[in-house]
Amino acid sequence: MHHLLITNIGLLCGLEKQGQERSRFCGTEMASLHTIENAWLYMEDHKIHSFGKMEKMDFFSAENVYDAEGRVILPAWVDSHTHLVFASSREAEFVDRVKGMSYEEIARRGGGILNSAKKLNEISESELFDKSLERLHQVVAKGTGTIEIKSGYGLTLEAELKMLRVIRRLKETHLIPIKASFLAAHAYPLEFKENHEGYLNLIINQMIPQIVDDGLADYIDVFCEKGFFSVDETARLLDAGWKAGLKPKIHANQLHYSGGVQVGVKHNAISVDHLECVGEEEIAALKNSNTIPTLLPAAAFFLGINYQPARKMIDAGLPVCLATDYNPGSCPSGNVPLLLTIACTQLKMTPEEAINAVTINGAAALEMSHEVGSIAVGKKANLIVAGKIPSYQYIPYNFGNNPVERMLINGVFL
Ligand code: NIG
Ligand code: FE
């Protein structure tokens, strides 16, 4: 059995007392990040076994002891929304946007998601895997210890399967836990531009059954937005997903007050993600639900659009979650430390709220709170060992830098 004892931890952050674990932190609960100064942490069989104050350290027969010499330890980030599997970058569109073109205009011209779909169809499965694995290593080095990855640049049965098989191979590397979402409803392919019914039938009658048969996805996703998939189309897809055993996690209210949040809540979505356009009605719908509101402010930052009203949502008592949205169009970065800075400076979330949003609430958005997202007895030991930083607040403060010195995954140093 694998054992590891860490001693002299300057600050052990994001912990939960035994018997008091929560699956999510709502509203004012997000304001506190529980910590122990000068702590020890013992891991056994890849899980967190126990922790406490150095003065009261019990004795263990650990084969491996690591002296943290005052370093800060936190739960690894849970990035619950990414499109990390893609064929190539899209910096030409970035330059077009810098010069004044909007994200929607670029999409209408056949750029954007359709541009990525073209490239995805051209690349071999093995090259796609190699590129994606490299990106996965990069985000793990910045503290991500659990991740969700979507398909959605295939837009044909074969190419969506190709993406989902790549995600499965990434899972099989056992680098970090991964959940997969099926996102064929990301954009209408050119051949179905005037035939929405045809594409919806393809998704519902062919893609969903095959993907479920092959066990390739945990969730179904839809880009519910003007110019993409309407509320009614989203509703049909979510019904079909539920019937086949795929729970919804959807893209909603990024560019418009589209009714996306309401249709997600109505279909018991696990989460509704983006939420730049959220007002009283959307907040009221979320209040009466178990659906997690997931904010993707790094995408709003990169597109230069309005930020999510995080304060209103937290003040309304919601379990706000943060994720990167790592993708080649609206957020070509899976950098969670930078996301934390954006959440603090632009959304006015406190460091405690932002860290809770991307740890315990990220875990809730992937239905994994029992396994990851906090330092609690019995959870997977997926942890960040930060360098010798003065506090956890220093992480969003010291923006652009990587606070991670080493990662522990399943209680083993990478
Ligand atoms: O979450 N908004 C929809 N999908 C992605 C962007 C996709 C792309 O531009 O490639 C997002 O922002
Ligand atoms: Fe996205």
Side-chain angles (χ1 to χ4, degrees):
M1 209 190 293
H2 184 266
H3 305 259
L4 176 63
L5 172 65
I6 306 187
T7 57
N8 298 315
I9 302 166
L11 198 63
L12 184 63
C13 306
L15 38 99
E16 293 188 277
K17 283 204 189 108
Q18 209 171 356
Q20 293 176 20
E21 295 90 350
R22 303 288 312 268
S23 65
R24 54 179 72 187
F25 288 0
C26 299
T28 51
E29 292 168 348
M30 294 179 67
S32 350
L33 188 69
H34 299 287
T35 59
I36 304 181
E37 265 176 57
N38 197 18
W40 57 269
L41 171 69
Y42 181 63
M43 288 154 277
E44 191 175 275
D45 203 15
H46 310 293
K47 297 205 168 94
I48 294 164
H49 176 278
S50 43
F51 49 84
K53 273 192 138 339
M54 273 313 279
E55 307 85 276
K56 296 189 203 150
M57 191 168 80
D58 307 340
F59 287 93
F60 293 107
S61 59
E63 319 151 18
N64 302 308
V65 181
Y66 167 74
D67 182 347
E69 295 176 345
R71 288 176 177 79
V72 173
I73 293 188
L74 311 102
W77 321 128
V78 181
D79 192 354
S80 64
H81 180 135
T82 84
H83 309 247
L84 170 146
V85 172
F86 58 87
S88 42
S89 58
R90 298 200 327 243
E91 62 274 23
E93 292 176 6
F94 162 66
V95 176
D96 288 341
R97 282 194 298 98
V98 169
K99 290 182 179 164
M101 212 185 273
S102 76
Y103 180 78
E104 285 165 291
E105 276 166 336
I106 291 167
R108 274 199 296 275
R109 291 185 172 195
I113 294 164
L114 295 183
N115 179 1
S116 280
K118 188 167 169 286
K119 290 173 177 151
L120 192 285
N121 278 268
E122 289 161 4
I123 196 173
S124 75
E125 193 161 326
S126 68
E127 199 186 338
L128 185 62
F129 172 77
D130 292 345
K131 286 188 166 192
S132 305
L133 182 61
E134 194 183 325
R135 287 182 204 121
L136 189 62
H137 278 288
Q138 285 167 359
V139 299
V140 171
K142 292 200 166 65
T144 298
T146 302
I147 199 166
E148 180 261 16
I149 309 175
K150 301 171 191 301
S151 70
Y153 293 125
L155 311 183
T156 63
L157 174 61
E158 239 340 286
E160 286 291 309
L161 288 171
K162 176 160 102 182
M163 289 190 76
L164 290 165
R165 283 193 301 262
V166 165
I167 299 172
R168 179 164 67 191
R169 276 186 67 194
L170 294 173
K171 277 189 199 186
E172 287 165 358
T173 65
H174 297 290
L175 180 59
I176 58 171
I178 298 177
K179 289 231 170 160
S181 300
F182 167 58
L183 174 60
H186 202 187
Y188 280 100
L190 281 183
E191 58 276 36
F192 290 103
K193 210 173 164 193
E194 307 303 329
N195 178 15
H196 286 192
E197 202 51 38
Y199 191 54
L200 295 175
N201 285 335
L202 176 66
I203 295 176
I204 293 168
N205 300 328
Q206 291 186 44
M207 295 192 191
I208 291 178
Q210 171 95 51
I211 281 153
V212 169
D213 267 3
D214 295 353
L216 284 170
D218 302 292
Y219 301 107
I220 185 166
D221 194 347
V222 177
F223 186 16
C224 182
E225 193 62 65
K226 265 187 208 159
F228 294 85
F229 291 79
S230 71
V231 165
D232 290 344
E233 291 166 349
T234 302
R236 279 174 64 187
L237 291 161
L238 300 189
D239 279 334
W242 264 118
K243 282 197 190 111
L246 297 177
K247 296 178 189 176
K249 275 173 75 67
I250 69 168
H251 284 74
N253 295 49
Q254 179 187 14
L255 307 169
H256 300 280
Y257 290 81
S258 60
V261 168
Q262 290 88 330
V263 74
V265 165
K266 194 167 162 217
H267 286 80
N268 292 312
I270 302 302
S271 69
V272 287
D273 303 19
H274 263 301
L275 311 189
E276 283 83 346
C277 300
V278 157
E280 299 307 322
E281 279 177 41
E282 285 78 11
I283 290 177
L286 287 160
K287 271 294 281 180
N288 297 312
S289 78
N290 280 320
T291 301
I292 304 260
T294 297
L295 315 184
L296 312 174
F301 165 77
F302 192 67
L303 293 181
I305 61 176
N306 285 339
Y307 287 105
Q308 296 81 358
R311 281 262 55 90
K312 279 192 181 155
M313 300 172 83
I314 293 172
D315 294 346
L318 295 176
V320 167
C321 168
L322 287 166
T324 62
D325 198 22
Y326 190 7
N327 77 78
S330 65
C331 187
S333 166
N335 187 328
V336 172
L338 180 58
L339 168 68
L340 292 173
T341 300
I342 296 171
C344 294
T345 59
Q346 308 304 304
L347 278 60
K348 308 296 177 203
M349 292 172 75
T350 64
E352 293 78 9
E353 288 169 339
I355 291 171
N356 282 321
V358 78
T359 53
I360 189 66
N361 287 352
L366 293 180
E367 303 178 283
M368 291 179 74
S369 300
H370 56 293
E371 281 182 274
V372 294
S374 67
I375 293 179
V377 173
K379 285 199 184 184
K380 264 186 208 305
N382 286 10
L383 308 169
I384 292 170
V385 180
K388 289 185 178 170
I389 57 174
S391 62
Y392 61 77
Q393 290 91 340
Y394 185 83
I395 296 173
Y397 160 83
N398 187 227
F399 80 95
N401 287 309
N402 184 9
V404 177
E405 190 171 286
R406 296 180 84 177
M407 287 297 287
L408 270 164
I409 300 292
N410 291 321
V412 180
F413 279 114
L414 288 189

